[in-house]
Amino acid sequence: MCIEKQLNLPGVCVWDGIHTTGLVGLYFFDNTVTGQTYLDMLEDLRGQMDEDPELTSIVHFMQDGAPPHYALIVRQFLDVCFGDWIGRRGKIEWPARFCDLTPCDFFLWGLLKDRVFSRNPLTLPDLKKIIEEEFDELRTQVEILRRTCGSVDSRCRSCIEKDGHQFEHTQ
């Protein structure tokens, strides 16, 4: 008996930010994310943030070291528009793939993947619709978002105590 399974199913790349009072943006990248497409998204995000002075005052921009995030045009934009941003070659250096300390990695993406795929999207448009609905639902859960962002401080302390080694299992 032979069971065929399609590999590399079509998907979508999603960007979102998390802060103590909510979520910032929801962006879909339909094609490969490049430095330019990531910069385009950041320019749009900055425009939205400029319309909300309260948001601008509470956001500390943090990103991992993915190649599009590290592109020179992106870093130059972040230097000008986000000041003390956190990331690879940022004003505040941050190691790549440090998922125990980044709220989107240790909380947001896992939760949303569980919620989205439990609803069994069958098409790409259906997948996007479900992602949008789940993001809208999570936006209403401000206390969870506040606690998640608040846990970064204690996670950083745990990381220091473990001399930079994995600590998630000890939390």
Side-chain angles (χ1 to χ4, degrees), residues 14-165:
V14 178
W15 184 96
D16 189 77
I18 183 173
H19 61 90
T20 55
T21 61
L23 299 174
V24 179
L26 175 59
Y27 296 93
F28 292 104
F29 294 94
D30 293 320
N31 298 308
T32 301
V33 182
T34 65
Q36 185 60 56
T37 58
Y38 187 66
L39 176 61
D40 294 343
M41 185 275 306
L42 289 174
E43 289 171 337
D44 184 48
L45 172 66
R46 185 69 225 193
Q48 291 177 31
M49 289 177 66
D50 288 343
E51 295 172 11
D52 187 350
E54 181 181 330
L55 182 61
T56 302
S57 68
I58 63 170
V59 169
H60 298 280
F61 194 84
M62 172 191 275
Q63 63 181 15
D64 63 20
H69 301 172
Y70 183 66
L72 181 60
I73 57 174
V74 169
R75 289 183 285 136
Q76 289 171 337
F77 177 81
L78 292 172
D79 286 343
V80 171
C81 295
F82 284 93
D84 291 338
W85 62 278
I86 303 166
R88 185 175 175 205
R89 300 295 179 262
K91 299 285 178 143
I92 301 170
E93 187 71 37
W94 197 257
R97 297 176 188 87
F98 225 87
C99 57
D100 288 346
L101 299 176
T102 308
C104 287
D105 291 330
F106 71 74
F107 168 73
L108 184 64
W109 299 128
L111 174 72
L112 287 169
K113 283 180 183 179
D114 287 347
R115 289 182 177 187
V116 167
F117 289 109
S118 72
R119 295 176 58 184
N120 296 319
L122 299 176
T123 65
L124 212 48
D126 191 31
L127 175 63
K128 287 182 179 181
K129 180 179 175 281
I130 291 171
I131 290 170
E132 289 171 341
E133 291 169 0
E134 292 298 338
F135 267 90
D136 288 343
E137 172 61 28
L138 187 56
R139 285 181 205 283
T140 68
Q141 299 172 5
V142 176
E143 181 58 26
I144 292 172
L145 301 174
R146 186 191 63 73
R147 284 195 328 258
T148 298
C149 290
S151 73
V152 172
D153 185 55
S154 64
R155 287 172 168 274
C156 286
R157 277 190 247 123
S158 294
C159 181
I160 291 167
E161 289 169 8
K162 295 291 183 180
D163 199 26
H165 296 281

